[in-house]
Amino acid sequence: AFIIGEPGAGRHATIAAFAEHIREGQVHPALEHKRIIELQFSAVTGTGKTKGETETLLIKLFNEAVRAGNIILLISDLPAFVSSLAALGIGAGTLLAPCVEHSGLHILAVADTVRFRKTIESDAELVKYFERIELTEPDPPRLLAILEDHTLVLEAAYRNRITISYSALIKSVDGAVNHLTTG
């Protein structure tokens, strides 16, 4: 799946929540016991000295994830991954397509909206194998609900040695909406 959204929309928080649901067993049975492993593509592209070595290394990594059977690969910056492969003369769609189509490799890829449209959307070979999930910044009532949930977690983590008031949450939401801008 492609997880697409602007900075602040919660792309990585969504993946963290998904991983937590997997850990707690609150997912579809097909996803039970899966592990999310981040692919450090800069290490892979830096290790392979040539196009062929890099392709071979990536294919070995993909095959190992498939053989493990419980791996979901996370590509945390898909546009950078695609661009680094393109710099080596490797088409990401051509490389990933057989792995995703025939072997059932599971991939979560994260991208911001602008870079996704510039780098990924035109690659029909890559796009056709992925579901697109677009995230937007939460509106103030949803943001307040998120903060309320997070407050409970924080207070429990500190064994109730801290208390965050509801009025502080409202002020935080108001401050974020009125004073934080994109960029």
Side-chain angles (χ1 to χ4, degrees):
F2 292 134
I3 299 177
I4 306 161
E6 294 301 321
R11 296 168 298 173
H12 291 93
T14 299
I15 292 171
F18 175 57
E20 184 65 21
H21 286 300
I22 291 172
R23 190 183 66 74
E24 293 174 354
Q26 300 173 345
V27 292
H28 188 277
L31 295 172
E32 288 179 347
H33 310 293
K34 297 282 185 184
R35 295 179 356 177
I36 299 175
I37 306 291
E38 184 173 359
L39 174 65
Q40 296 291 329
F41 64 86
S42 58
V44 173
T45 56
T47 301
K49 293 181 173 72
T50 65
K51 173 185 173 184
E53 284 180 16
T54 303
E55 284 177 331
T56 302
L57 184 56
L58 282 168
I59 290 169
K60 284 172 75 174
L61 284 169
F62 297 154
N63 288 336
E64 188 173 326
V66 170
R67 274 193 304 277
N70 67 339
I71 302 295
I72 300 172
L73 282 179
L74 171 63
I75 302 173
S76 63
D77 188 356
L78 183 64
F81 175 70
V82 170
S83 297
S84 66
L85 290 178
L88 293 169
I90 303 169
T94 307
L95 182 67
L96 289 172
C99 299
V100 173
E101 184 177 26
H102 300 298
S103 66
L105 177 66
H106 300 285
I107 297 176
L108 279 175
V110 179
D112 66 78
T113 307
V114 173
R115 290 180 40 207
F116 178 83
R117 289 193 176 120
K118 284 182 183 176
T119 311
I120 311 301
E121 213 167 36
S122 61
D123 188 345
E125 185 70 25
L126 184 60
V127 171
K128 74 179 180 182
Y129 294 107
F130 290 88
E131 181 179 341
R132 185 175 176 159
I133 301 169
E134 292 203 40
L135 301 178
T136 58
E137 283 190 37
D139 59 353
R142 178 68 187 130
L143 182 57
L144 184 58
I146 292 168
L147 289 175
E148 287 173 2
D149 290 344
H150 193 62
T151 297
L152 296 173
V153 172
L154 278 175
E155 288 177 348
Y158 285 94
R159 297 187 179 109
N160 294 320
R161 290 181 296 196
I162 63 166
T163 302
I164 301 171
S165 69
Y166 188 74
S167 62
L169 296 180
I170 292 172
K171 294 262 186 213
S172 297
V173 170
D174 289 341
V177 170
N178 294 325
H179 301 291
L180 296 179
T181 58
T182 304

